């Protein structure tokens, strides 16, 4: 035991000296380069907003934000199968392993070495055996100025940034699935409107052809009627193609073929999403995972400055360890074990130029990380401001567009009655048909834009995420 203490005491002293000092600058979060509040838009008169919630979007789980059971199942499948999200998860595992490797450098590597050799000096000379056994510490760095510790902190920050990147990917995936699903609902409504319009125009064209054959209308009116029918057929073919492409996109996002036994979903006209409070721009610093990822990158860059300031690195190596010569039967008997401890310190005397250049490079990397962090905040501020502008105006636009569609429906009905009674020309009826079709399409598109804007607002406010247990503590 006394000899074992003599071996381990230098190692303990080396570990106590490690990490006594850090040359990394003290980290301070940069001030957010945005206004203290989001711009406000006046509420449009006559607008009824969706059901409001006072709950912060980051605490509102997506299962509660999306009430459509069909959509919730699609999102569940996407979270389980999407390949882009799977890559993000694997990146986390890779970063975690890299952090563990870097953290292991803070501890010495102790190795046991045993070797043997048998030889004789002549024919009648006895066989002699030489055995060597011992313990050794290989290339352990005395972290006097915290270089290894700073590298470990940098690796931890990189790992946490990767975790935040996965959260960003997951939130974006949820929003993409929801928007793609809403687009499919809009496609279905547009197809239904187009099919009904085509049916109406074909009936009108049939009557016009009969009237032309009886000499009641001119060939000009017949050609106008035929043009409207073909126009509706072309629009129908275009919508069928777009719906197929949108379904393919949703399948890609979900990561598998969409099952046919999913529960029935809502229509676009009956879909409603809750109105969300914006909060303050400073809230984005804790709710947006992309901003948190940029800050972790900044913390890593800050730690790299301390790692670059390797003013006095010291490498401890036990090169002459063990050695005792014995005959075979005397090995490891009491008093037969010996050891030597021969540390070696490597001091860079003429390496100041390289160290200075490394520090300058690390500082430049930190400045780049600051700029990227500030840019991520400005981008987030702009995205939220844009979504809030949509929230304040899309509902009124939808109300107005639906009113236009109702008015155009009445106009078409009156034009049809006047045409049949001979009080209006066929040109008036055709113009009413075109206007009604355009107004109905515009109303569907306005409703789609309103709902997708709500999904976007939910995403850019960090919707669906509550802060889990500290990953930093788990990693340590």
């Amino acid at each position: 035991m006394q000899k074992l203490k003599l071996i381990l005491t230098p190692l303990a002293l080396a570990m106590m000296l490690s990490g006594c000092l850090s040359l990394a600058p003290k980290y301070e979060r940069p001030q957010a380069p945005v206004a203290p509040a989001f711009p406000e838009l006046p509420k449009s008169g006559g607008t009824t907003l969706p059901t409001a919630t006072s709950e912060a979007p980051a605490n509102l789980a997506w299962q509660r934000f999306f009430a459509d059971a069909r959509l919730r199942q699609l999102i569940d499948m996407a979270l389980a199968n999407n390949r882009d999200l799977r890559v993000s998860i694997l990146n986390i595992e890779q970063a975690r392993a890299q952090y563990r490797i870097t953290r292991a450098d803070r501890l010495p590597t102790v190795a046991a070495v045993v070797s043997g050799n048998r030889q004789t000096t002549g024919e009648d000379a006895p066989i002699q055996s030489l055995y060597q056994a011992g313990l050794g510490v290989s290339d352990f760095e005395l972290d006097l100025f915290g270089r290894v510790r700073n590298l470990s902190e940098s690796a931890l920050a990189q790992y946490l940034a990767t975790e935040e990147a996965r959260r960003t990917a997951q939130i974006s995936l949820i929003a993409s699935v929801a928007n793609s699903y809403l687009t499919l609902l809009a496609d279905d409504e547009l197809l239904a409107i187009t099919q009904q319009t085509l049916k109406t125009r074909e009936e009108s064209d049939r009557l016009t052809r009969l009237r032309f054959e009886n000499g009641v209308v001119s060939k000009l009116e017949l050609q106008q009627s035929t043009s409207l029918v073909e126009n509706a057929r072309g629009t129908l073919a275009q919508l069928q193609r777009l719906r197929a492409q949108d379904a393919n996109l949703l399948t890609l996002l979900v990561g598998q073929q969409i099952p046919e036994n999913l529960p029935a979903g809502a229509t676009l006209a009956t879909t409603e999403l809750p109105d969300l409070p914006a909060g303050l721009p400073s809230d984005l610093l804790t709710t947006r995972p992309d901003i948190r990822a940029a800050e972790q990158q900044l913390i890593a860059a800050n730690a790299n400055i301390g790692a670059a300031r390797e003013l006095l690195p010291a490498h401890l190596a036990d090169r002459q360890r063990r050695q005792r010569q014995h005959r075979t039967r005397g090995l490891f008997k009491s008093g037969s074990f010996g050891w030597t401890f021969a540390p070696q310190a490597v001091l860079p005397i003429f390496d100041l130029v390289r160290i200075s250049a490394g520090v300058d490079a690390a500082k430049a990397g930190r400045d780049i990380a600051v700029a990227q962090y500030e840019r991520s905040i400005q981008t987030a501020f702009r995205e939220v401001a844009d979504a809030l502008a949509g929230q304040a105006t899309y509902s009124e636009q939808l109300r107005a567009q639906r009113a236009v569609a109702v008015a155009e429906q009445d106009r078409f009905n009156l034009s049809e009655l006047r045409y049949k009674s001979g009080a209006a020309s066929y040109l008036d009826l055709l113009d009413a048909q075109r206007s009604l079709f355009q107004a109905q399409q515009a109303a569907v598109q306005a409703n789609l834009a309103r709902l997708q804007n709500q999904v976007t607002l939910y995403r850019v406010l960090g919707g669906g995420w509550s802060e889990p247990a500290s990953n930093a503590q788990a990693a340590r």
Side-chain angles (χ1 to χ4, degrees), residues 13-89:
L13 290 174
M15 294 177 65
M16 289 175 62
L17 289 173
S18 293
C20 295
L21 180 64
S22 175
L23 297 179
K26 181 181 178 181
Y27 172 74
E28 293 183 1
R29 174 184 286 178
Q31 187 175 1
V34 292
F38 294 111
E40 292 187 5
L41 290 178
K43 297 290 184 182
S44 301
T47 300
T48 302
L49 291 174
T51 304
T53 175
S54 59
E55 191 171 7
N59 299 327
L60 184 62
W62 63 263
Q63 293 90 340
R64 293 164 51 206
F65 184 75
F66 300 108
D68 192 320
R70 186 181 183 89
L71 174 56
R72 287 202 300 265
Q73 286 205 16
L74 289 173
I75 293 175
D76 269 330
M77 288 187 289
L79 294 178
N81 300 317
N82 186 268
R83 270 54 177 182
D84 290 335
L85 186 59
R86 188 177 300 176
V87 170
S88 298
I89 294 174

Side-chain angles (χ1 to χ4, degrees), residues 453-471:
N453 183 77
Q454 287 299 105
V455 174
T456 299
L457 181 60
Y458 181 68
R459 175 182 62 82
V460 298
L461 289 175
W465 279 108
S466 57
E467 187 65 21
S470 174
N471 287 324

Side-chain angles (χ1 to χ4, degrees), residues 16 85 142 217 244 258 297 329 358-359 380 422 454 464 471:
M16 289 175 62
L85 186 59
L142 290 177
V217 298
I258 298 176
Q297 296 286 1
R329 60 183 181 180
V359 172
Q454 287 299 105
N471 287 324

